[in-house]
Amino acid sequence: MRLDSEIINSLGDIVGKDNVLMARESLEPYSHDETPGLSHLPDVVVKPKTAEEISKIMKLANEKEVPVTPRAGGTGLSGGAVPWLGGILMSFERMNRIKEIDTENAMAVVESGVIVQNLEEEAAKYGLFYPPDPASLDSCMIAGNVAECAGGARAFKYGVTRNYVKGMEVVLPQGEIIRLGGKLIKNVTGYSLMDLIVGSEGTLAIVTEVILKLLPLPEAKIDLLIPFNSIEQAVNTAVKIIKSGIVPATIELMEREAIKASERYLEKKTPFSDAEVHILVELDGKKENIEKEYEILGELALENGAIDVYVAEDKGEQDRVWEARRAISEALKSKSEIDHEDVVVPISEIPNLFRNLKELEKKYLLKIVCYGHVGDGNIHVNVLKETMEEKKWREIIPKLVREIFDIVVQRGGMISGEHGIGLAKKAYLPLALDSAQIELMKRIKIAFDPKNILNPGKIFDI
Amino acid sequence: MRLDSEIINSLGDIVGKDNVLMARESLEPYSHDETPGLSHLPDVVVKPKTAEEISKIMKLANEKEVPVTPRAGGTGLSGGAVPWLGGILMSFERMNRIKEIDTENAMAVVESGVIVQNLEEEAAKYGLFYPPDPASLDSCMIAGNVAECAGGARAFKYGVTRNYVKGMEVVLPQGEIIRLGGKLIKNVTGYSLMDLIVGSEGTLAIVTEVILKLLPLPEAKIDLLIPFNSIEQAVNTAVKIIKSGIVPATIELMEREAIKASERYLEKKTPFSDAEVHILVELDGKKENIEKEYEILGELALENGAIDVYVAEDKGEQDRVWEARRAISEALKSKSEIDHEDVVVPISEIPNLFRNLKELEKKYLLKIVCYGHVGDGNIHVNVLKETMEEKKWREIIPKLVREIFDIVVQRGGMISGEHGIGLAKKAYLPLALDSAQIELMKRIKIAFDPKNILNPGKIFDI
């Protein structure tokens, strides 16, 4: 349906006319996230300021049966924020207050539209630490992180967004405002709706406020960028680090093509960038401890075939290394059309996964570039189109992706570790989950959202 | 309904006649858990061995509309395993295999009926560590821990059961067997049914197998038992420890009456047991680190009014201290009829909570004895009946409990931190959660269990 002027007027009454966008050129930026090839214009963009406004919008949308797509930073990689069926796009950009850094309880209370890096920086002023760090942390928002259960590099030591969400205010699809949890470490008072909403990709409820657990800020950190001549050596070293008893904050892996793309994109050189593959290990904690630990891990890497160990001790060197890592996704996209996957397997299967991917590279004559969170078994697999003819690419990719996912599932893995299913992976969900399970998820969706108006068409079709 | 002989015969066909109990004296042990005052006989006890058998039982129970109550160790404290409507009691006692300690992935695969301490001991043989440690760990089972999202003392540092559950095999109420997650650190492939099932008190699905994350076994531990002359000093010291940057495994608190009851029950003396209150701090990690840390925390305690610091360095001393702590619940029950609560508040509210409880003690002329996980804000509040006349006790307790819960909720807390709602707290759930939220939970229950046959009558009535 198209939205009639009555609905538009009502939205204006709720959020103020200045916060309702209708012109095509103002709608365009809200038509896509960072997922290649997926976009759809909304009919209208609304920018609410409060849960009460959102509640009114949802009641109106229910009455009129209009789809509502919530949008946080728009940095998603599975199309979760794309308004696929048009309707109302709800942007959290005006809900960007860090309401409280509670030092007594080590908790932050933030609105849905707070940029993750802003929270991290604000917490640091009080000697506190918000660990989740998706690569897009300078532009992604908390509500999106909650929707996707965002991970990031530090998930190896610190876990994912779920581990930090302790309370929430949410608006249910029919407009009720409810509060879940609190500044509480433990809670088993009824079903954990909160843990169900985390990772539900904005399909079950609209998160308006989040209470997040903070940790003491680590005293110091050191980054080790370790080049290898073979993927096997790099992966084996990563596995040995995991088993060493020392727990780094991150164990990242980057193949040469990823580093090279990032170098070109940023126009900055990365140390040893000709090596086949790098692992990037960050240690954090007490200065005296991490100084001991990095010596041990450096030795371990050299014994296992590392070409060298580049130690980034000061902030400038560290920022340079992480800038290179975080730019990879953008850099690869700027170089070629890509297909981007986000698979996760048990750690022990990582060497096999890489072997299988190399076989697929040969079979399909397409370059496959991997990087990601090797310590978590979570690998971002990028297939580069490069010069392949468009028609052939479109024919081949679904087959290749299916093969990748079949391998991953056979190896005990899942098809998304931290980016979600959204629109992009919806067709493949039955490869990972059986129909009884998907049917149950659909019944849960309907229990929350009987008219299927909240972010419809994501994860599965009802 | 009573079960007819056709159903009984079918159950015998599924699990074998020896694993179907009907005689009243064999039913009695299955009629209650550790919650005072709650018991109801099942019509029949069945002891399945596999998920397939459980699937068949659930299909039969659905067809005949017979209630099924799953039971793990029977150590619960909210009546979750009491077969309140009779019907089938399903015991996991024959499903007690530790199927795998996977050292490559640091994961354990266990059947639902594995005793938690057995898992902990088995993992330790491989240098691995399963942290959740409810006080009943020598007799409680994994499936019960998953059902209640069990915590325990070490939750302060290591989190609760939810943080370790990475995969599951479950039987849905209508009999489908599904697998969730895997040996995976991250996963956002569809809704996290797993996180919803954890803490759902056995009402949404029957957990038959669990994949649990393990950590490296800490090299050493030291326990500090620290007596104080006032509750304020003890609580303030706990809060200062939390903010010190040092992260102990546990910060427990025990009031004198709790320690004294335990001493009498065990017939063993605890150091400084005449002190008003104790905190019990366990440090674990590298030996050299914890030796430094305990000096710092010991000083901090003495500066904040500690009478002394008893350092339990060897295993014998440590076991003695923890035996005293873990016996408290049983000891109090052996001394007097009690009402037992499991409230949780933000850490900053702990001093106020204690002040309010002291006021209630005076108002109701009933002894209130507290102990529990002060580091998590999770306090076990025990009201002792002692010599109060039965009629008056029954009249007063609901009022007193309501007052306690009102205080807790006003202070930003919840009415259960780790024991669950079950039967015991069901009447009080609306004090903590609004009706929109409870209604949504009921719709979720029905999405899983349309005929409401799985553990009916727990948490809320449908």
Side-chain angles (χ1 to χ4, degrees):
Chain A
M1 67 169 301
R2 295 288 309 166
L3 301 191
D4 60 27
S5 59
E6 189 196 333
I7 297 177
I8 300 298
N9 288 337
S10 301
L11 291 172
D13 292 343
I14 296 169
V15 299
K17 290 207 186 322
D18 290 351
N19 299 307
V20 178
L21 309 182
M22 291 284 291
R24 200 192 150 89
E25 64 277 14
S26 32
L27 299 183
E28 199 284 329
Y30 298 93
S31 67
H32 60 85
D33 58 12
E34 298 288 332
T35 319
L38 288 174
S39 85
H40 192 285
L41 282 177
D43 290 307
V44 60
V45 171
V46 295
K47 301 179 185 178
K49 183 76 184 148
T50 65
E52 289 68 30
E53 289 178 5
I54 293 174
S55 167
K56 286 179 190 163
I57 295 167
M58 294 315 294
K59 284 174 184 165
L60 176 69
N62 259 283
E63 190 196 322
K64 306 290 185 184
E65 302 200 18
V66 180
V68 177
T69 303
R71 178 188 177 90
T75 58
L77 290 165
S78 55
V82 177
W84 199 239
L85 304 179
I88 298 170
L89 186 294
M90 181 184 287
S91 168
F92 298 129
E93 62 204 90
R94 294 175 66 228
M95 297 176 70
N96 58 359
R97 278 193 308 154
I98 296 174
K99 295 175 80 171
E100 188 187 7
I101 303 288
D102 175 346
T103 56
E104 286 293 306
N105 291 299
M107 298 266 177
V109 184
V110 302
E111 288 185 336
S112 48
V114 167
I115 304 274
V116 174
Q117 188 167 288
N118 293 355
L119 169 61
E120 195 191 328
E121 289 171 0
E122 189 65 18
K125 291 180 192 165
Y126 299 88
L128 293 167
F129 180 40
Y130 180 66
D133 63 337
S136 57
L137 84 166
D138 63 355
S139 50
C140 64
M141 294 174 182
I142 285 294
N145 278 217
V146 169
E148 304 300 331
C149 191
R154 291 193 288 243
F156 177 68
K157 178 171 179 176
Y158 291 106
V160 293
T161 302
R162 183 189 309 288
N163 302 112
Y164 295 88
V165 176
K166 297 298 165 192
M168 277 183 184
E169 177 191 69
V170 305
V171 180
L172 295 177
Q174 294 182 293
E176 302 99 329
I177 302 173
I178 62 173
R179 294 199 73 92
L180 306 170
K183 291 177 178 174
L184 303 173
I185 304 292
K186 289 171 168 176
N187 177 21
V188 286
T189 307
Y191 298 157
S192 186
L193 300 180
M194 198 161 67
D195 279 288
L196 177 61
I197 290 169
V198 174
S200 67
E201 308 193 25
T203 66
L204 296 181
I206 299 172
V207 175
T208 52
E209 187 179 299
V210 191
I211 300 176
L212 295 161
K213 180 179 149 187
L214 303 173
L215 300 182
L217 189 65
E219 184 184 290
K221 59 182 179 179
I222 289 177
D223 288 291
L224 308 180
L225 185 68
I226 312 174
F228 292 87
N229 275 327
S230 86
I231 188 87
E232 291 75 19
Q233 287 172 333
V235 170
N236 288 338
T237 303
V239 170
K240 285 189 179 160
I241 291 172
I242 293 168
K243 298 174 86 172
S244 71
I246 294 171
V247 185
T250 78
I251 310 180
E252 296 284 294
L253 178 144
M254 300 166 279
E255 286 195 296
R256 179 170 58 194
E257 291 293 320
I259 290 275
K260 286 286 179 194
S262 173
E263 277 192 332
R264 279 188 298 265
Y265 182 75
L266 296 172
E267 297 178 4
K268 288 179 189 172
K269 185 103 181 81
T270 303
F272 309 106
S273 61
D274 290 326
E276 197 62 35
V277 58
H278 285 74
I279 62 174
L280 171 53
V281 177
E282 181 165 293
L283 290 158
D284 67 1
K286 294 236 173 257
K287 196 160 188 296
E288 58 188 276
N289 294 349
I290 63 176
E291 277 170 358
K292 270 182 240 159
E293 289 171 353
Y294 99 71
E295 297 280 356
I296 296 168
L297 295 189
E299 280 300 317
L300 186 154
L302 291 169
E303 282 163 16
N304 286 278
I307 298 168
D308 205 328
V309 176
Y310 173 78
V311 183
E313 281 191 87
D314 70 46
K315 191 166 180 312
E317 292 166 331
Q318 291 169 1
D319 287 350
R320 184 171 141 222
V321 167
W322 281 99
E323 186 189 15
R325 162 64 185 86
R326 291 198 177 114
I328 291 173
S329 174
E330 283 306 302
L332 287 172
K333 276 193 273 182
S334 76
K335 189 188 164 200
S336 160
E337 192 174 324
I338 65 167
D339 175 83
H340 177 89
E341 304 305 335
D342 166 50
V343 303
V344 60
V345 294
I347 314 294
S348 62
E349 293 291 344
I350 290 270
N352 292 328
L353 174 66
F354 274 97
R355 212 186 52 239
N356 292 149
L357 290 172
K358 294 295 158 200
E359 288 158 8
L360 290 180
E361 216 174 24
K362 283 182 198 147
K363 177 173 171 185
Y364 285 93
L365 302 172
L366 279 166
K367 185 117 209 100
I368 299 181
V369 181
C370 293
Y371 65 96
H373 317 299
V374 65
D376 296 323
N378 180 204
I379 303 295
H380 302 320
V381 179
N382 297 270
V383 186
L384 274 53
K385 177 173 174 284
E386 295 185 312
T387 57
M388 183 177 273
E389 185 205 337
E390 185 68 23
K391 185 163 166 262
K392 197 172 171 196
W393 169 255
R394 291 198 179 275
E395 204 179 284
I396 277 184
I397 277 297
K399 288 181 198 158
L400 172 53
V401 170
R402 199 164 281 265
E403 274 208 64
I404 294 172
F405 287 166
D406 278 338
I407 288 164
V408 163
V409 171
Q410 278 164 30
R411 299 207 171 279
M414 282 283 165
I415 66 175
S416 180
E418 57 181 17
H419 296 167
I421 301 301
L423 289 171
K425 309 302 159 204
K426 200 167 87 167
Y428 304 101
L429 192 63
L431 296 182
L433 306 182
D434 54 30
S435 62
Q437 196 167 155
I438 296 174
E439 288 308 312
L440 176 56
M441 290 179 188
K442 291 182 187 178
R443 294 198 299 273
I444 291 171
K445 165 68 175 167
I446 293 301
F448 276 81
D449 183 13
K451 292 194 176 171
N452 190 29
I453 60 161
L454 182 61
N455 212 0
K458 309 299 164 66
I459 311 178
F460 37 64
D461 288 313
I462 297 289
Chain B
M1 70 169 297
R2 296 289 307 166
L3 301 190
D4 60 28
S5 60
E6 189 198 331
I7 298 177
I8 301 298
N9 287 337
S10 300
L11 291 172
D13 292 343
I14 295 168
V15 299
K17 291 206 184 326
D18 291 352
N19 298 308
V20 177
L21 310 183
M22 291 284 291
R24 198 191 152 89
E25 65 277 14
S26 31
L27 299 182
E28 198 285 328
Y30 298 92
S31 67
H32 61 87
D33 58 13
E34 297 289 333
T35 319
L38 289 173
S39 85
H40 193 285
L41 281 178
D43 290 305
V44 60
V45 171
V46 294
K47 303 180 184 178
K49 183 78 184 146
T50 65
E52 290 67 29
E53 289 178 5
I54 293 174
S55 168
K56 286 180 190 163
I57 295 167
M58 293 315 294
K59 284 176 184 164
L60 176 69
N62 259 284
E63 190 195 321
K64 306 291 185 183
E65 302 200 18
V66 180
V68 176
T69 303
R71 179 189 176 89
T75 59
L77 290 164
S78 56
V82 177
W84 200 239
L85 304 180
I88 298 169
L89 186 296
M90 181 185 287
S91 168
F92 297 130
E93 63 204 88
R94 294 175 66 227
M95 297 175 69
N96 59 359
R97 278 192 307 153
I98 297 175
K99 293 175 82 171
E100 188 187 6
I101 302 289
D102 175 347
T103 56
E104 286 293 306
N105 292 299
M107 298 267 177
V109 184
V110 301
E111 289 185 336
S112 48
V114 166
I115 304 277
V116 173
Q117 186 166 290
N118 293 355
L119 168 60
E120 193 191 329
E121 289 171 359
E122 188 65 19
K125 291 180 192 165
Y126 299 88
L128 293 167
F129 180 40
Y130 180 68
D133 63 337
S136 56
L137 84 167
D138 63 353
S139 50
C140 64
M141 293 175 183
I142 285 293
N145 278 217
V146 169
E148 305 299 332
C149 191
R154 291 193 289 243
F156 177 69
K157 178 171 181 177
Y158 291 106
V160 293
T161 302
R162 181 188 311 288
N163 302 112
Y164 295 87
V165 176
K166 297 298 164 191
M168 278 183 184
E169 178 190 69
V170 305
V171 180
L172 295 176
Q174 293 182 295
E176 303 99 329
I177 302 172
I178 63 174
R179 294 199 73 92
L180 305 170
K183 292 176 177 174
L184 302 173
I185 303 293
K186 289 172 170 176
N187 178 21
V188 286
T189 307
Y191 299 156
S192 187
L193 300 179
M194 199 160 67
D195 279 288
L196 178 61
I197 291 168
V198 174
S200 67
E201 309 193 26
T203 67
L204 295 181
I206 299 172
V207 175
T208 52
E209 187 180 298
V210 190
I211 300 175
L212 295 161
K213 181 180 148 186
L214 303 173
L215 300 181
L217 189 65
E219 184 183 291
K221 60 183 178 179
I222 288 176
D223 288 291
L224 308 180
L225 186 68
I226 313 174
F228 292 87
N229 276 329
S230 87
I231 188 88
E232 291 76 17
Q233 289 173 331
V235 169
N236 289 338
T237 302
V239 170
K240 285 188 178 161
I241 291 173
I242 293 169
K243 297 174 86 174
S244 71
I246 294 170
V247 185
T250 79
I251 311 181
E252 297 283 295
L253 178 145
M254 298 166 281
E255 287 195 295
R256 179 170 56 195
E257 291 292 322
I259 290 273
K260 287 285 181 194
S262 173
E263 277 192 330
R264 279 188 297 265
Y265 182 75
L266 296 172
E267 298 178 4
K268 288 179 188 171
K269 186 99 182 82
T270 303
F272 309 104
S273 61
D274 289 326
E276 197 62 34
V277 58
H278 284 73
I279 61 173
L280 171 54
V281 176
E282 181 165 293
L283 290 157
D284 66 1
K286 294 235 174 257
K287 198 163 187 297
E288 57 189 279
N289 294 349
I290 63 177
E291 277 171 358
K292 270 182 240 160
E293 289 170 354
Y294 100 70
E295 297 281 356
I296 297 169
L297 296 189
E299 280 301 319
L300 187 154
L302 291 170
E303 282 162 16
N304 285 279
I307 298 169
D308 205 328
V309 176
Y310 173 77
V311 182
E313 282 192 86
D314 70 44
K315 192 168 180 312
E317 291 165 333
Q318 291 170 0
D319 287 350
R320 184 173 140 222
V321 168
W322 281 99
E323 185 187 19
R325 162 63 185 88
R326 293 201 176 111
I328 291 172
S329 174
E330 283 306 301
L332 287 172
K333 277 192 273 182
S334 77
K335 189 188 164 202
S336 161
E337 190 174 326
I338 66 167
D339 174 83
H340 176 89
E341 305 304 335
D342 165 49
V343 303
V344 60
V345 295
I347 313 294
S348 62
E349 294 290 346
I350 290 269
N352 291 328
L353 175 67
F354 274 97
R355 212 185 52 241
N356 292 149
L357 290 172
K358 295 294 158 201
E359 289 158 9
L360 291 179
E361 216 174 23
K362 282 180 198 146
K363 176 173 171 185
Y364 286 93
L365 302 172
L366 278 166
K367 184 116 210 101
I368 299 181
V369 181
C370 293
Y371 66 96
H373 317 300
V374 67
D376 297 323
N378 180 205
I379 303 295
H380 301 320
V381 179
N382 297 271
V383 186
L384 273 53
K385 177 172 175 286
E386 295 185 312
T387 57
M388 183 176 274
E389 186 205 338
E390 184 69 22
K391 188 165 165 259
K392 196 170 173 200
W393 168 256
R394 291 197 178 275
E395 205 178 286
I396 276 184
I397 277 297
K399 290 180 198 159
L400 172 54
V401 171
R402 199 164 283 266
E403 275 209 62
I404 294 172
F405 287 165
D406 278 338
I407 289 164
V408 163
V409 171
Q410 278 163 29
R411 298 206 170 282
M414 282 284 165
I415 67 175
S416 180
E418 56 180 17
H419 296 167
I421 301 301
L423 289 171
K425 309 302 159 204
K426 199 166 86 167
Y428 304 102
L429 192 63
L431 296 182
L433 306 182
D434 55 30
S435 63
Q437 195 166 156
I438 296 174
E439 289 308 313
L440 176 56
M441 290 179 188
K442 290 181 186 178
R443 294 198 299 274
I444 291 171
K445 165 68 175 169
I446 294 302
F448 276 80
D449 183 13
K451 292 193 176 174
N452 189 28
I453 59 161
L454 183 60
N455 212 359
K458 308 299 163 65
I459 311 179
F460 37 64
D461 288 313
I462 298 289

